[in-house]
Amino acid sequence: MSGFVPIRRSQIYHYLKTPLYITNTAGNFVLYKAENTEIDFKRFHEDKCPQLFISEEMSEDALSELQVQLRKKLIDRVKSGDLKSIKTALCEIVEESFKEPLDENLRALPQTIEIIYDGFSGATKVLRDIDGLQFGGTTLAEHSVNVMVLVFNYCIFNRFDDKETKNLSLCALLHDIGLTRIPKAITGSSRKLSNVEFVKFRSHPSLGHDLIRVNDNIDPSIALGVLEHHERLDGQGYPRGISNITFEARLIGMLDCFDSLTNTEKRHRKKENPFGALKIIQDETLKEGKFDKGIYRDLCLSLIGKRKYTDL
């Protein structure tokens, strides 16, 4: 099947300009949907939803069209104020952004943050309670989006300026990007990892840092935050075991932990409710010195929709 690339069935309706192809009984590629036409969904379902393809020579144009359509959907969802609907649109964008060509896709993510910020900055009422922020889901895209929304909420309620809010939100969205370079046999395993596998898994912050650092469209502080998001103030984190870590890493490390505790069930523990997760983080903050006390306090306030300072 050289020369053609399969596309996901969930995204076929996003392609208008791009021609789509199908394989016939002889194994040859034939045109199924012409350029600048909509797909005939009645025909598509009558044909039992066959696998569709795009030509490799059209792949860059097709990717651009897909990203435009996904962002348009995101803008519409943001205007609606429906958090779950927004998350669905965001996850579609992130899933595509985390695929190859990764460098090219990462360049488009700052624009996504702009869309989210413009939609949310005047509508903080949709981010007002802890239950609304808990989306569930265990995929990399879902987790990344969850942490991004938590960070965005934190920044809104603690009155961060526009630039810092956007940078922190993008850092959150990309914090686990290095996992795209770890074999799925490791990242998707429910068994106990071997020592070799565990070392490989713990390399994902470094891999993520290296992926972002070479992209001149992304602020260098974001790469450093990604590198350090598993470091802890007691020096017991990874990959370098340092205690002097950036604010980006302190914040995203805490919210990464919060989302993992509330949305991911692991072999050695069950999922926590939000308040149970906050209690675990509180103990690791006050008793073990792993997290920043000020960030923990401000996180709690942001999760219940209260500002750090009263309005004047």
Side-chain angles (χ1 to χ4, degrees):
M1 295 192 295
S2 175
F4 290 84
V5 181
I7 61 172
R8 296 169 60 188
R9 288 189 174 90
S10 62
Q11 294 172 351
I12 60 172
Y13 53 86
H14 292 309
Y15 295 104
L16 175 61
K17 297 178 181 178
T18 307
L20 302 179
Y21 295 82
I22 190 174
T23 54
N24 60 20
T25 54
N28 299 316
F29 288 92
V30 295
L31 187 66
Y32 192 80
K33 183 197 79 69
E35 186 176 0
N36 294 320
T37 63
E38 293 185 2
I39 191 166
D40 183 339
F41 282 100
K42 181 180 179 181
R43 173 194 174 196
F44 181 69
H45 287 285
E46 287 176 348
D47 291 339
K48 299 181 180 180
C49 305
Q51 175 67 65
L52 299 180
F53 299 81
I54 58 174
S55 67
E56 287 184 345
E57 64 183 19
M58 291 284 293
S59 59
E60 289 189 15
D61 291 337
L63 176 61
S64 297
E65 180 177 20
L66 176 61
Q67 290 174 337
V68 166
Q69 293 300 321
L70 290 175
R71 284 177 175 78
K72 182 179 181 297
K73 180 190 288 188
L74 176 58
I75 291 171
D76 292 341
R77 300 288 177 85
V78 168
K79 289 178 179 178
S80 76
D82 181 349
L83 279 175
K84 290 186 177 180
S85 178
I86 293 165
K87 184 205 171 180
T88 299
L90 277 170
C91 283
E92 288 186 23
I93 291 174
V94 173
E95 284 173 359
E96 289 304 316
S97 298
F98 285 5
K99 293 179 179 179
E100 299 296 343
L102 193 56
D103 182 65
E104 180 180 328
N105 288 339
L106 291 182
R107 295 184 67 83
L109 279 178
Q111 182 184 0
T112 301
I113 295 296
E114 291 282 349
I115 294 169
I116 299 165
Y117 186 80
D118 291 344
F120 276 158
S121 58
T124 55
K125 67 178 182 291
V126 302
L127 297 172
R128 65 181 174 227
D129 73 61
I130 196 169
D131 293 324
L133 288 164
Q134 295 314 296
F135 293 114
T138 58
T139 68
L140 175 59
E142 288 171 326
H143 172 63
S144 301
V145 168
N146 289 349
V147 176
M148 186 215 67
V149 174
L150 287 165
V151 167
F152 192 89
N153 183 66
Y154 178 97
C155 292
I156 289 291
F157 282 99
N158 288 287
R159 295 182 173 176
F160 283 55
D161 65 35
D162 293 359
K163 182 179 180 181
E164 190 168 14
T165 297
K166 293 171 186 177
N167 277 347
L168 285 166
S169 299
L170 183 55
C171 189
L173 198 61
L174 294 174
H175 76 282
D176 272 343
I177 188 68
L179 289 175
T180 63
R181 292 294 187 257
I182 305 292
K184 289 185 178 181
I186 295 177
T187 60
S189 176
S190 59
R191 60 177 172 77
K192 183 178 180 180
L193 298 178
S194 68
N195 290 339
V196 172
E197 289 173 326
F198 191 55
V199 169
K200 182 68 174 176
F201 176 83
R202 284 164 61 113
S203 70
H204 77 266
S206 299
L207 294 171
H209 169 266
D210 292 346
L211 283 169
I212 297 167
R213 185 182 58 183
V214 298
N215 197 314
D216 58 12
N217 199 40
I218 298 178
D219 192 291
S221 66
I222 292 172
L224 188 56
V226 168
L227 176 64
E228 297 181 350
H229 79 275
H230 276 297
E231 302 288 2
R232 297 294 180 257
L233 296 180
D234 63 356
Q236 297 301 304
Y238 64 87
R240 295 183 292 170
I242 60 174
S243 58
N244 183 23
I245 59 179
T246 63
F247 175 81
E248 290 87 348
R250 296 182 188 203
L251 174 62
I252 291 165
M254 184 181 292
L255 293 178
D256 174 38
C257 180
F258 177 78
D259 185 67
S260 293
L261 287 169
T262 54
N263 286 321
T264 306
E265 189 162 309
K266 296 188 176 181
R267 187 178 58 85
H268 60 280
R269 66 162 173 81
K270 293 184 177 181
K271 290 188 292 187
E272 296 284 341
N273 64 47
F275 297 101
L278 287 174
K279 180 62 171 64
I280 291 173
I281 295 173
Q282 180 186 57
D283 289 343
E284 293 188 344
T285 300
L286 301 179
K287 296 178 181 179
E288 302 177 32
K290 292 183 179 297
F291 295 111
D292 186 298
K293 294 178 183 178
I295 292 177
Y296 178 76
R297 176 200 61 209
D298 295 343
L299 170 61
C300 292
L301 289 173
S302 72
L303 287 173
I304 60 174
K306 293 187 180 294
R307 294 189 185 276
K308 181 177 177 181
Y309 305 106
T310 58
D311 292 325
L312 297 178

